[in-house]
Amino acid sequence: MVFDLDMIKKFYAGYAGKLAAARKVVNHPLTLTEKILYTHLWKGNADEAYGRGKDYVDFAPDRVAMQDATAQMALLQFMQSGRTKVSVPSTVHCDHLIQAETGAVADLSRAKSQNKEVYDFLSSVSNKYGIGFWKPGAGIIHQVVLENYAFPGGMMIGTDSHTVNAGGLGTIAIGVGGADACDVMAGLPWELKFPKLIGVKLTGKLSGWTASKDIILKVAGILTVKGGTGAILEYFGEGATSLSCTGKGTICNMGAEIGATTSIFGYDKKMAEYLRGTARAEVADAADNLANELTGDPEVYANPEKYFDQVIEINLSELEPHINGPFTPDLAWPISKFADAVRENGWPEVLEVGLIGSCTNSSYEDITRAASIAEQATSKGLTARSEFTITPGSEQVRFTVDRDGYLKTFEKMGGVVLANACGPCIGQWARHSKDPNKKNSIVTSYNRNFAKRNDGNANTHAFVASPELTTALAIAGSLTFNPLTDYLTNDKGEKIKLEEPKGIEMPLKGFAVDDAGYQSPAADGSKIEVLVSPTSDRLQILDPFPAWEGTDINNLKLLIKAKGKCTTDHISMAGPWLKYRGHLDNISNNLLIGAVNFFNEKTNSVKNQLTGEYGPLPETQRAYKADGIGSVIVGDENYGEGSSREHAAMEPRHLGVRAVLVKSFARIHETNLKKQGMLAITFENKDDYNKVLEDDSIDITGLTSFSVNKPLVIHLNHKDGTSESFLVNHTYNEQQIEWFKAGGALNIIRKEFEN
Ligand code: SF4
């Protein structure tokens, strides 16, 4: 058993009491989302009601999941916490670093040798600190979590935006940065702004070619990529209970594409069946006893307008299959309108590759529905005209569908089975393209379709659809094919109409797996050595950041005055830099290389005040660091928006930047800076941004009496001998001021543990 049954039972045992406390303070019927949030308060029982979209609340998640790209820095930080074991059940999943090229066996073997040092590190650090380790080839994080860990009423965080997939099994599951994961593993609370609630009422029933995927493709079209921001989507209604558990997972998975905090379905028979089918009958039994409370109250679903901030209604009986794209997942086309849209917009009609699977759509049901189309094709003298790939989401799914003959069906049609990993979904795809400069089209059953996402090629028009529709289009080799109305011609010249897909939700002979690829951690990790080569260029053990020197900070150089948008991508770029996510010094060579310098309007070109020369930003900062000189980054509005990646805060800290002074911060980045012991401050008067000059030397005073709500003072010493001073604000609370003084939150956590 890989899941923690005792933890789940304990949670269910205390659920009724916590819920009663919540009912008292909230004082109205509860949505499922409220039930789960209020039963996971860090402080225990609820004693106040929280304002949706307003109040920041500390929560106690039940578990943490990490994928291999983000786990590296999360665990390197955790090693700094002084803990000997994680405080909540946690897992690592090796899925992002496997590149798809020729097929599962060869690709996996190559990845194991290319990424050996990263896998060895993750395996050893997991083993030492009590973390479950899923080896390369075991599967994609979210599918493995759904099969093993998610449970109705639970709450988890994961270092990946599609962590939300677990909502399909009734878990509030939220994507976070590595610093948050580190905190929770170290036994600290996790803070979240209490979300707004969007209710999605599903009426009717899916039939024919329409699949669960089409529900979320439709929702994405309605809400757009920003419509879910700060909100949790709660699905309910007869249409919701008729969907398979994995179908619900697909819908929740793509909630990330509309910016939602997460999405969730209430506990029902389909979830119970899935739990029992995946060897978790005890969890199903325990959940059955609380079934009425693991879904929203009936009054809420009867009057959704009264209890949700927004309500959407979709009739599944009328829903058409959809294809969304290109370049954005919210450009939603019902299949009946898609061919015209392709022609009118001049999108390449030839479909070059159809790709099914991924964490979004590789359930047994998905595979069997797609295989029913592939089977028809081969039995009727058709093969795929496009290239066609299948990415199983886990070894358990792969083994089971292989046993039941479905992989052979795909192979007969011309399909290639890829490793149980992210592969083309995250750009890990050595695509065989004759002419990358030519516009081309692909259709995937994945979730994201931004330009360059799958193959790094801006000419690729990526569309998203259900696996069965993707399979049909790959057989036709054309984007304009509509299997509901159109015919194909086989090798004998006969006209063929594909029949509706047929699927099986759960394998009749049950799931099976030979080796699931799981390594349980050592009971006593004290003797286990964490494997990091001192010469590695991908991994580096972290050193604690130095504590504050106890005085005001003077004679700082201006590193950059960034102009306009400066997201975490501008601060710490992704792409080729992904490779260095576990090596703070090497990844610091991308510090702010995407930011625009106010003074010359160029990127990665700032004046080195020691030489007067312009040079790349990381080199300039390293020159200051070598001379023991600190620096200041000045920025514009909403500095640090984008992802929650902690590298954007760790890199400047590592290279000796002392303060980030901006017009306003994106909240998560501001918190990340504080956690790393950096000064995150804002102009009291935003026009003071204009006073900062390129050759300024900067003093920060007021630090010896640094306290809550008390502004600090900036003194700009201009090159011409004049100087100006102004107030700057901060949002540090008492605890965060202690982080600053100690040189970072981890230094405090470690000390607390040592004492
Ligand atoms: Fe993310 Fe794609 Fe991997 Fe899913 S399959 S975890 S969406 S990269």
Side-chain angles (χ1 to χ4, degrees), residues 586-603:
N586 282 347
I587 200 167
S588 294
N589 288 329
N590 75 1
L591 175 66
L592 280 159
I593 60 175
V596 176
N597 181 0
F598 176 90
F599 299 106
N600 61 7
E601 307 252 328
K602 290 183 181 166
T603 54

Side-chain angles (χ1 to χ4, degrees), residues 95-96 140-142 160 162 253 358-360 421-422 425-426 447 453:
D95 53 3
H96 275 59
I140 306 171
I141 175 168
H142 311 305
D160 188 277
H162 292 98
N253 180 301
S358 90
C359 69
T360 323
C422 301
C425 182
I426 189 69
N447 40 34
R453 162 89 178 177

Side-chain angles (χ1 to χ4, degrees), residues 68-354:
D68 47 4
T70 49
Q72 297 171 52
M73 193 54 82
L75 290 169
L76 286 164
Q77 289 181 88
F78 178 78
M79 287 169 68
Q80 291 289 302
S81 73
R83 303 291 196 264
T84 52
K85 210 170 182 322
V86 285
S87 299
V88 298
S90 304
T91 48
V92 166
H93 304 260
C94 295
D95 53 3
H96 275 59
L97 303 178
I98 300 168
Q99 190 187 43
E101 187 172 357
T102 50
V105 176
D107 294 347
L108 181 59
S109 150
R110 199 178 52 253
K112 280 183 181 168
S113 96
Q114 278 172 353
N115 302 307
K116 185 173 183 320
E117 61 178 321
V118 174
Y119 295 146
D120 286 348
F121 164 67
L122 292 174
S123 163
S124 60
V125 76
S126 299
N127 202 9
K128 183 172 183 69
Y129 292 109
I131 299 167
F133 178 69
W134 292 84
K135 299 174 198 170
I140 306 171
I141 175 168
H142 311 305
Q143 177 64 27
V144 173
V145 164
L146 196 74
E147 283 175 6
N148 294 281
Y149 300 119
F151 67 95
M155 178 190 248
M156 65 174 286
I157 58 167
T159 59
D160 188 277
S161 48
H162 292 98
T163 300
V164 293
N165 188 71
L169 198 32
T171 302
I172 293 265
I174 300 178
V176 299
D180 282 3
C182 171
D183 287 354
V184 173
M185 289 188 291
L188 299 184
W190 174 65
E191 190 194 60
L192 175 75
K193 190 195 264 186
F194 205 89
K196 293 197 170 227
L197 302 182
I198 300 176
V200 186
K201 183 176 181 181
L202 302 179
T203 61
K205 199 163 190 281
L206 293 176
S207 63
W209 281 89
T210 312
S212 293
K213 179 80 159 209
D214 300 303
I215 300 173
I216 185 61
L217 295 180
K218 172 84 181 168
V219 170
I222 295 170
L223 284 177
T224 79
V225 288
K226 287 202 180 127
T229 308
I232 292 185
L233 272 71
E234 183 168 326
Y235 289 83
F236 62 95
E238 60 183 9
T241 47
S242 70
L243 302 173
S244 66
C245 177
T246 50
K248 293 176 169 91
T250 296
I251 293 169
C252 293
N253 180 301
M254 280 195 69
E257 273 50 70
I258 50 170
T261 302
T262 192
S263 307
I264 193 157
F265 283 80
Y267 183 59
D268 61 18
K269 284 203 183 94
K270 299 284 188 178
M271 289 189 194
E273 275 168 23
Y274 188 72
L275 283 169
R276 291 179 196 286
T278 50
R280 289 173 288 173
E282 300 99 324
V283 180
D285 290 343
D288 282 346
N289 289 334
L290 290 167
N292 292 341
E293 293 295 12
L294 292 172
T295 188
D297 287 344
E299 300 90 321
V300 168
Y301 295 156
N303 291 297
E305 280 78 12
K306 196 166 161 192
Y307 299 105
F308 288 99
D309 300 292
Q310 183 183 350
V311 178
I312 295 169
E313 187 167 334
I314 298 172
N315 183 344
L316 304 189
S317 305
E318 293 169 359
L319 183 66
E320 271 191 69
H322 275 61
I323 302 183
N324 286 22
F327 307 127
T328 181
D330 57 356
L331 196 53
W333 303 99
I335 185 80
S336 59
K337 307 239 162 37
F338 185 61
D340 286 345
V342 171
R343 293 186 193 105
E344 280 161 22
N345 289 288
W347 297 326
E349 284 187 38
V350 173
L351 174 62
E352 294 205 358
V353 195

Side-chain angles (χ1 to χ4, degrees), residues 622-641:
R622 282 190 191 275
Y624 294 151
K625 185 178 183 183
D627 272 17
I629 301 169
S631 66
V632 177
I633 293 166
V634 171
D636 217 314
E637 299 279 8
N638 209 19
Y639 181 88
E641 69 182 286

Side-chain angles (χ1 to χ4, degrees), residues 321-620:
H322 275 61
I323 302 183
N324 286 22
F327 307 127
T328 181
D330 57 356
L331 196 53
W333 303 99
I335 185 80
S336 59
K337 307 239 162 37
F338 185 61
D340 286 345
V342 171
R343 293 186 193 105
E344 280 161 22
N345 289 288
W347 297 326
E349 284 187 38
V350 173
L351 174 62
E352 294 205 358
V353 195
L355 305 98
I356 67 166
S358 90
C359 69
T360 323
N361 267 116
S362 63
S363 64
Y364 194 83
E365 183 183 31
D366 290 329
I367 297 290
T368 52
R369 279 175 69 86
S372 77
I373 302 301
E375 173 68 40
Q376 287 181 54
T378 46
S379 65
K380 292 174 182 174
L382 295 162
T383 50
R385 292 188 185 149
S386 312
E387 279 185 52
F388 184 64
T389 70
I390 305 98
T391 301
S394 71
E395 176 59 11
Q396 177 164 277
V397 162
R398 190 210 62 78
F399 190 96
T400 307
V401 297
D402 191 28
R403 177 201 66 190
D404 295 349
Y406 297 111
L407 294 185
K408 281 211 179 58
T409 306
F410 290 128
E411 281 163 358
K412 262 198 247 161
M413 184 188 114
V416 174
V417 180
L418 300 175
N420 314 318
C422 301
C425 182
I426 189 69
Q428 291 274 33
W429 187 17
R431 187 174 166 193
H432 328 280
S433 180
K434 284 186 205 107
D435 181 5
N437 296 321
K438 197 180 96 201
K439 280 189 185 178
N440 70 94
S441 293
I442 65 171
V443 178
T444 81
S445 73
Y446 307 163
N447 40 34
R448 297 221 155 129
N449 61 347
F450 301 125
K452 298 189 183 179
R453 162 89 178 177
N454 302 111
D455 61 359
N457 183 355
N459 291 309
T460 298
H461 292 52
F463 297 86
V464 180
S466 69
E468 48 271 48
L469 191 52
T470 304
T471 307
L473 293 175
I475 293 164
S478 169
L479 270 194
T480 54
F481 176 64
N482 177 354
L484 283 77
T485 54
D486 299 348
Y487 287 78
L488 295 166
T489 308
N490 71 4
D491 49 5
K492 295 193 194 102
E494 296 160 345
K495 285 194 140 198
I496 305 290
K497 176 98 170 31
L498 294 173
E499 286 159 27
E500 292 171 352
K502 289 197 180 61
I504 306 166
E505 282 180 25
M506 301 288 286
L508 301 176
K509 288 189 266 169
F511 282 108
V513 67
D514 192 5
D515 173 7
Y518 178 70
Q519 168 193 292
S520 32
D524 173 8
S526 58
K527 301 266 174 345
I528 291 174
E529 186 198 349
V530 176
L531 301 177
V532 176
S533 159
T535 56
S536 170
D537 70 344
R538 295 183 68 178
L539 293 162
Q540 181 187 40
I541 298 288
L542 296 172
D543 286 324
F545 291 130
W548 170 55
E549 56 268 61
T551 62
D552 287 336
I553 315 177
N554 297 323
N555 300 318
L556 303 172
K557 302 291 183 203
L558 174 72
L559 176 59
I560 183 174
K561 179 155 111 172
K563 184 179 175 189
K565 212 182 214 349
C566 195
T567 69
T568 45
D569 259 328
H570 296 97
I571 305 170
S572 175
M573 231 170 230
W577 296 94
L578 275 178
K579 190 177 165 205
Y580 300 114
R581 283 273 174 92
H583 196 297
L584 181 56
D585 194 53
N586 282 347
I587 200 167
S588 294
N589 288 329
N590 75 1
L591 175 66
L592 280 159
I593 60 175
V596 176
N597 181 0
F598 176 90
F599 299 106
N600 61 7
E601 307 252 328
K602 290 183 181 166
T603 54
N604 203 20
S605 168
V606 292
K607 192 171 185 180
N608 179 335
Q609 292 192 36
L610 301 176
T611 63
E613 306 280 314
Y614 284 87
L617 195 139
E619 279 174 28
T620 307

